[in-house]
Amino acid sequence: MSARRTLSRLIPGLLSALLLTACAGVSGTPVAGEIDVRTIDAGSYPTDPLDYRMVWEHYPNKTADLAAIRLAGYVPTGTEIDSELRFRRNGSPITNVYAGAQFLLKADVPIIERNGMLFGFTMSAASTPRQNGDAAEQIEVNALDSAALEPNSSSVHLTVLQFPDGSAATRAVVEMEAADFAVAAENVPVTLDRYPDAKSHWRPGVPTLGALAARGNYLINVFVKRPTAELGDLTALAQKTLDAQIPLLDQLPPLSSRDVLRLDYDPQGMMRRILHPDRYVTPYFGREGVYTPRAYLHTTDDQEQTRRVLESAGVDAVAELNSLQDTTLIRARDGDAAAALLNDFKSNRTDSADAPTGVPDTFCHRYVRYPKLRSLDEFHCYVRYDRYVGIVQATQLPDAQQKAAAQYALLAKSAWM
């Protein structure tokens, strides 16, 4: 399951989960007033916190992913830029120069490499839902006449890259602007009134505008589109994008190469609590990680609907595994907020299924992904413990029930282990 479908899919009813059968004992000591988690059927799923089963090793290729996830929490969502940009089109990590090549001009690649780019994050949002075949608009967006792709849509493509120092970021801005003019001689320079040091340009008659700005060690690359080629509208949207982005970057201390290498895999203690059957970790944005609410919104399609759910429960962290496991763990403001969130999930669900025996604050339901292909139905189970709500899923109900039982036991044991 793609992370793109996560909370936005679960939110019309909200997140999802699965579990399996088979009896396996759960070790541990019961706490007064709680069930003895040793008595519930978690099958072969682990119930000890992840840090009891593995040791995080600081590999450069993995810590760059952690740096990109960290940065995603300081890149604005579409509606933080403009209220009409409510549909997420993309949210992707940039962990090396080659990943950056997917979202920049080909001529920009040697520039960011030469100036020592460390990592980055890119997002795009639009005023209309995604259309079939529009994915190309996310690739080398600065090279496209995207007006031909969606003539009635407004959109923003925003990429933030971190460099070793401010001089490298500023130098990259100047060089990337020159490279853009080298490949498109018809470009015309544009001044952004509120950001006179930014480099900006457009092609008269084309309803798009590009802008580059440096902020400390960060480079900000903006590409905006409007339905019509009105320069005032384009510059206004570009400046709104910088208005939203720059204050966030001012809150985020840049990282050195050494800092990146030493990033902690689980500083919030969320991954140790989520049902993670593997003995190794592979952080990657949208597949495995711990997110702030803003970073998590970059994985969901209808961001405003998801934002309302997260804010109402006072959510401050979301952990997620999207691969063969598809498990989500949400940390709410407190136990009452988590209970209310669980009830909201339940009230939005139909086609209920049996919850795991002996596990409190849990419910399951059948999720019909394709009405004409019922063989692809899934079972999602939701479980609450204290301020945490876990969501698991599986293709068979007994598997989903065991996953839910394991998630409950893991949360209970994590409170004291």
Side-chain angles (χ1 to χ4, degrees):
M1 171 186 312
S2 162
R4 314 300 189 235
R5 295 172 293 185
T6 311
L7 248 186
S8 10
R9 193 186 73 186
L10 308 173
I11 266 176
L14 266 164
L15 299 154
S16 47
L18 267 194
L19 317 137
L20 211 118
T21 95
C23 283
V26 177
S27 62
T29 304
V31 177
E34 296 187 358
I35 66 166
D36 185 345
V37 295
R38 296 172 297 180
T39 66
I40 60 179
D41 178 16
S44 60
Y45 290 106
T47 61
D48 287 339
L50 182 62
D51 52 350
Y52 276 69
R53 297 182 285 114
M54 59 80 67
V55 176
W56 167 242
E57 297 183 3
H58 295 259
Y59 293 113
N61 62 326
K62 293 305 173 189
T63 50
D65 288 299
L66 296 177
I69 291 172
R70 172 180 176 266
L71 176 57
Y74 294 84
V75 174
T77 62
T79 54
E80 288 180 296
I81 295 170
D82 189 294
S83 60
E84 71 171 323
L85 302 176
R86 58 174 296 196
F87 297 99
R88 183 198 69 89
R89 295 299 183 83
N90 182 44
S92 297
I94 297 174
T95 57
N96 54 54
V97 169
Y98 307 104
Q102 298 181 68
F103 306 101
L104 301 170
L105 282 172
K106 187 177 296 184
D108 292 337
V109 176
I111 295 172
I112 63 174
E113 182 174 28
R114 182 167 62 247
N115 286 285
M117 185 210 77
L118 296 177
F119 58 86
F121 186 80
T122 186
M123 63 76 71
S124 61
S127 60
T128 56
R130 184 186 305 277
Q131 303 296 318
N132 290 335
D134 73 355
E137 192 176 357
Q138 299 170 16
I139 307 301
E140 291 194 7
V141 292
N142 289 340
L144 288 177
D145 178 2
S146 59
L149 295 174
E150 292 185 288
N152 298 316
S153 177
S154 294
S155 61
V156 166
H157 302 265
L158 171 62
T159 299
V160 178
L161 306 175
Q162 201 218 288
F163 290 83
D165 52 49
S167 60
T170 300
R171 188 167 54 248
V173 164
V174 173
E175 293 176 359
M176 288 171 66
E177 180 74 350
D180 212 327
F181 273 81
V183 299
E186 64 272 31
N187 283 345
V188 174
V190 173
T191 298
L192 301 181
D193 293 340
R194 295 199 296 277
Y195 301 96
D197 293 334
K199 304 292 184 183
S200 184
H201 63 268
W202 81 315
R203 282 179 284 167
V206 178
T208 61
L209 179 144
L212 288 158
R215 187 71 169 187
N217 293 27
Y218 297 102
L219 177 149
I220 307 168
N221 185 11
V222 177
F223 184 80
V224 301
K225 174 190 165 298
R226 285 293 201 188
T228 59
E230 296 291 337
L231 183 57
D233 287 345
L234 291 166
T235 56
L237 184 54
Q239 292 190 117
K240 289 174 75 172
T241 305
L242 293 173
D243 289 344
Q245 179 61 86
I246 287 176
L248 293 177
L249 291 180
D250 288 346
Q251 301 171 36
L252 184 65
L255 301 174
S256 67
S257 297
R258 183 183 294 270
D259 293 333
V260 172
L261 186 60
R262 293 182 175 180
L263 283 174
D264 188 350
Y265 174 70
D266 191 22
Q268 303 242 34
M270 292 289 287
M271 271 298 164
R272 72 186 305 267
R273 289 177 165 87
I274 195 172
L275 179 61
H276 195 311
D278 295 329
R279 289 184 175 273
Y280 55 89
V281 296
T282 55
Y284 188 81
F285 183 86
R287 288 208 299 264
E288 177 176 330
V290 180
Y291 309 100
T292 64
R294 179 182 288 111
Y296 186 72
L297 289 174
H298 285 300
T299 74
T300 63
D301 289 332
D302 192 333
Q303 295 176 333
E304 279 309 289
Q305 189 176 25
T306 305
R307 187 195 307 277
R308 287 193 292 272
V309 170
L310 298 181
E311 289 182 348
S312 66
V315 171
D316 66 354
V318 179
E320 199 164 55
L321 300 178
N322 279 301
S323 56
L324 296 177
Q325 303 303 330
D326 288 328
T327 303
T328 302
L329 183 64
I330 303 169
R331 188 170 67 195
R333 178 188 309 107
D334 51 33
D336 289 342
L341 180 61
L342 184 73
N343 287 333
D344 287 343
F345 283 139
K346 189 173 184 178
S347 66
N348 284 309
R349 292 295 173 278
T350 58
D351 205 356
S352 63
D354 291 339
T357 301
V359 181
D361 288 334
T362 305
F363 76 91
C364 300
H365 76 101
R366 180 190 292 268
Y367 175 75
V368 180
R369 184 186 297 277
Y370 304 109
K372 294 183 178 180
L373 291 172
R374 295 301 301 274
S375 62
L376 298 180
D377 285 3
E378 299 171 354
F379 292 92
H380 298 171
C381 292
Y382 298 68
V383 56
R384 181 192 76 87
Y385 181 88
D386 192 29
R387 61 186 293 207
Y388 298 91
V389 175
I391 303 153
V392 297
Q393 62 188 47
T395 55
Q396 301 294 322
L397 179 58
D399 188 25
Q401 291 168 336
Q402 287 185 336
K403 284 184 177 178
Q407 179 64 87
Y408 183 91
L410 206 162
L411 288 170
K413 293 171 72 174
S414 295
W416 57 268
M417 288 183 71

